[in-house]
Short mmCIF file of all heavy atoms in Angstrom, two decimals:
data_model
loop_
_atom_site.label_atom_id
_atom_site.label_comp_id
_atom_site.label_asym_id
_atom_site.label_seq_id
_atom_site.Cartn_x
_atom_site.Cartn_y
_atom_site.Cartn_z
N GLY A 45 398.06 144.19 72.05
CA GLY A 45 398.04 145.19 73.11
C GLY A 45 396.78 146.02 73.14
O GLY A 45 396.82 147.20 73.52
N LEU A 84 394.65 139.93 62.13
CA LEU A 84 393.35 139.26 62.17
C LEU A 84 393.10 138.35 60.97
O LEU A 84 392.22 137.49 61.02
CB LEU A 84 392.23 140.31 62.24
CG LEU A 84 392.02 141.00 63.59
CD1 LEU A 84 391.21 142.28 63.42
CD2 LEU A 84 391.31 140.05 64.56
N MET A 109 371.84 164.47 50.16
CA MET A 109 371.00 164.87 49.05
C MET A 109 369.63 165.30 49.58
O MET A 109 369.10 164.69 50.51
CB MET A 109 370.85 163.72 48.04
CG MET A 109 372.18 163.22 47.51
SD MET A 109 372.02 162.01 46.18
CE MET A 109 371.47 163.05 44.82
N TRP A 283 374.20 155.15 63.85
CA TRP A 283 374.54 153.73 63.98
C TRP A 283 375.35 153.24 62.80
O TRP A 283 376.24 152.40 62.95
CB TRP A 283 373.25 152.92 64.17
CG TRP A 283 372.53 153.29 65.43
CD1 TRP A 283 373.07 153.86 66.56
CD2 TRP A 283 371.14 153.14 65.70
NE1 TRP A 283 372.10 154.06 67.50
CE2 TRP A 283 370.91 153.64 67.01
CE3 TRP A 283 370.05 152.64 64.98
CZ2 TRP A 283 369.64 153.64 67.59
CZ3 TRP A 283 368.79 152.65 65.55
CH2 TRP A 283 368.59 153.14 66.85
N ILE A 290 374.99 145.72 60.85
CA ILE A 290 375.49 144.64 59.99
C ILE A 290 374.37 144.28 59.03
O ILE A 290 373.26 143.92 59.44
CB ILE A 290 375.92 143.42 60.82
CG1 ILE A 290 377.14 143.80 61.69
CG2 ILE A 290 376.25 142.23 59.92
CD1 ILE A 290 377.67 142.69 62.55
#
Side-chain angles (χ1 to χ4, degrees):
L84 284 163
M109 303 187 72
W283 297 337
I290 294 180

